[in-house]
């Protein structure tokens, strides 16, 4: 199953989330000596939009900054620069007290359901806590909402009296999804929500996401390293490399004709069934390791590993420019390695 192109209505509405030149820098090796430590820019001037009812997939190698970006959007990390405009309000500069009214509008589903659920609290208490904190319902309303949430994620209401350790990984992640949906948020950030699960359970959770997306019109940033999962659940896909977005566009278009050499290399690594007709693909092997974000290369960040590198790539960093087909690509020579 593959995702359809993002409906034109997405582009005709105001973005629910607009990220503008967002950066996050960490200091590593810092001591009490003034000026010590090294700056690592985990997220580097990232810009994109997510439209109401849309699922935007975010992919890239481990360490490229995907999860850090998601945590910045949730303001679990303070941002170093840039804007996070949620439904017209820039939440990036808000203090924790100023941010509190907006917390209910953005929720996160974490990678490891076992680590994200308090083992000392019953499921009912975990799901009820956000409702109590934000005072969205009285006792009777909370009880009714808990039953609705369990029904939404296809779990029996009797599980509300159990503790997280009594469930399987897939059941715990369903509980994590229910908690994220409790306040009916405008935006959900799903940070690799299936990567910690068994393959058979992954399919169940992905199908649940697809069903909830249609039923509840969820607006989601879906972070993953599994390209097949992203292709199934997202209308558009963004590809990150070394802290920056290098390509973003409709999922079908990006998978069918990737424009950036890094995207082409990622997609070339997807296994193709031996018996599939007309599905020949040349594997693109990248040389070398990902450069350190503490000392990124000049020019295009990808140029030390790019098979199609040219002199301009070594000195001039490409902007995320819009192509004729509507996607945006940060490459001086898009489609240069096209092999499909």
């Amino acid at each position: 199953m593959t995702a359809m192109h993002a409906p034109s209505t997405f582009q005709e509405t105001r973005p629910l989330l607009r990220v503008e030149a967002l950066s996050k820098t960490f200091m590593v090796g810092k001591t009490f000596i003034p000026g010590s430590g090294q700056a690592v820019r985990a997220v580097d001037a990232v810009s994109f939009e997510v439209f109401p009812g849309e699922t935007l997939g975010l992919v890239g190698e481990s360490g490229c900054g995907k999860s850090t970006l998601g945590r910045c959007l949730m303001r679990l990390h303070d941002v170093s620069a840039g804007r996070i405009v949620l439904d017209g309000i820039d939440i990036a500069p808000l203090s924790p007290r100023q941010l509190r009214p907006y917390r209910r509008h953005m929720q996160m589903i974490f990678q490891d359901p076992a680590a994200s659920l308090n083992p000392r609290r019953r499921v009912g208490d975990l799901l009820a806590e956000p409702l109590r904190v934000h005072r969205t319902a009285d006792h009777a309303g909370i009880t009714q909402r808990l039953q609705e949430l369990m029904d939404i994620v296809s779990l029996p209401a009797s599980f509300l009296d159990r503790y997280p350790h009594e469930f399987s990984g897939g059941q715990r992640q369903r509980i994590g999804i229910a908690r994220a949906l409790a306040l009916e948020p405008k935006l959900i950030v799903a940070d690799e929500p299936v990567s910690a699960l068994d393959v058979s359970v992954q399919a169940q959770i992905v199908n649940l996401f697809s069903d909830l997306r249609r039923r509840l019109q969820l607006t989601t940033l879906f972070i993953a390293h599994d390209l097949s999962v992203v292709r199934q659940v997202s209308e558009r896909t963004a590809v990150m490399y070394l802290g920056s977005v290098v390509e973003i566009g409709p999922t079908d278009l990006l998978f069918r004709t990737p424009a950036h050499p890094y995207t082409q290399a990622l997609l070339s690594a997807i296994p193709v069934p031996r018996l599939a007709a007309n599905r020949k693909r040349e594997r693109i092997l990248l040389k070398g390791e990902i450069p350190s974000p503490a000392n990124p290369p000049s020019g295009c960040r990808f140029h030390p590993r790019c098979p199609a590198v040219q002199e301009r790539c070594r000195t001039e960093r490409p902007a995320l420019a819009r192509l004729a087909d509507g996607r945006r690509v940060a490459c001086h020579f898009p489609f240069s390695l096209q092999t499909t």
Side-chain angles (χ1 to χ4, degrees):
M1 175 180 177
T2 59
M4 297 176 64
H5 284 308
S8 59
T9 52
F10 286 153
Q11 312 301 326
E12 295 168 359
T13 60
R14 184 182 72 171
L16 175 67
L17 174 69
R18 188 171 72 251
V19 179
E20 299 177 356
L22 184 67
S23 297
K24 175 60 181 177
T25 300
F26 295 99
M27 296 300 297
V28 298
K30 188 175 182 180
T31 68
F32 291 106
I33 302 174
S36 64
Q38 189 175 28
V40 176
R41 182 166 287 192
V43 178
D44 188 8
V46 168
S47 299
F48 61 88
E49 306 86 23
V50 185
F51 294 88
E54 178 187 34
T55 297
L56 176 68
L58 183 63
V59 301
E61 293 173 279
S62 297
C64 71
K66 304 186 301 296
S67 293
T68 300
L69 173 59
R71 289 173 177 270
C72 286
L73 298 181
M74 292 293 99
R75 285 296 312 276
L76 299 178
H77 292 319
D78 288 332
V79 303
S80 303
R83 304 179 73 212
I84 305 170
V85 182
L86 179 66
D87 204 14
I89 304 296
D90 183 7
I91 64 172
L94 300 184
S95 68
R97 184 174 181 178
Q98 293 171 325
L99 186 64
R100 183 167 180 173
Y102 301 98
R103 287 267 180 216
R104 62 171 298 179
H105 301 308
M106 50 184 188
Q107 296 293 314
M108 192 165 192
I109 300 170
F110 296 91
Q111 177 178 359
D112 186 355
S116 63
L117 299 175
N118 189 332
R120 294 181 176 87
R121 304 190 65 184
R122 289 184 173 89
V123 168
D125 294 330
L126 293 172
L127 298 185
E129 182 175 17
L131 301 172
R132 296 191 181 107
V133 168
H134 292 276
R135 301 178 182 178
T136 60
D138 56 17
H139 179 74
I142 290 176
T143 300
Q144 180 180 352
R145 181 59 176 161
L146 296 186
Q147 294 174 343
E148 292 174 353
L149 290 170
M150 297 301 277
D151 182 63
I152 286 173
V153 297
S154 302
L155 290 177
S158 60
F159 283 7
L160 292 168
D161 293 325
R162 299 186 183 182
Y163 290 91
H165 73 270
E166 299 180 68
F167 300 100
S168 66
Q171 290 172 330
R172 281 195 291 260
Q173 193 58 291
R174 289 175 184 268
I175 294 168
I177 294 170
R179 182 176 61 179
L181 296 174
L183 294 170
E184 300 182 67
K186 297 178 180 179
L187 174 70
I188 289 179
V189 173
D191 184 15
E192 303 204 35
V194 299
S195 62
L197 307 176
D198 293 338
V199 175
S200 59
V201 180
Q202 286 183 12
Q204 298 173 17
I205 299 300
V206 169
N207 289 336
L208 175 62
F209 263 106
S210 299
D211 180 55
L212 293 177
R213 180 186 59 174
R214 290 188 295 268
R215 289 169 52 194
L216 305 179
Q217 292 296 299
L218 298 179
T219 304
T220 308
L221 178 68
F222 194 98
I223 302 170
H225 63 265
D226 189 327
L227 297 172
S228 61
V229 171
V230 169
R231 189 172 193 180
Q232 179 171 338
V233 302
S234 63
E235 284 87 9
R236 289 190 302 136
T237 298
V239 181
M240 281 190 75
Y241 181 80
L242 205 64
S244 299
V245 171
V246 297
E247 183 170 358
I248 181 170
T251 298
D252 282 355
L253 182 61
L254 187 144
F255 274 74
R256 188 172 62 250
T257 56
H260 195 282
Y262 177 64
T263 309
Q264 295 168 25
L266 280 182
L267 296 180
S268 77
I270 299 177
V272 177
R274 185 172 296 178
L275 298 179
N278 301 320
R279 291 293 305 277
K280 296 181 180 179
R281 181 190 293 132
E282 180 182 342
R283 178 70 185 274
I284 301 172
L285 298 177
L286 299 179
K287 298 180 180 180
E289 300 294 331
I290 301 176
S292 169
N295 185 28
S298 61
C300 175
R301 297 289 178 85
F302 186 60
H303 89 256
R305 306 174 71 196
C306 181
V309 62
Q310 299 187 36
E311 189 58 35
R312 182 184 179 188
C313 307
R314 298 186 173 93
T315 58
E316 181 182 342
R317 187 173 182 181
L320 192 65
R322 190 175 298 275
L323 301 183
D325 58 17
R327 82 179 91 184
R328 286 177 288 170
V329 181
C331 181
H332 296 305
F333 309 100
F335 301 106
S336 57
L337 290 178
Q338 195 62 253
T339 59
T340 57

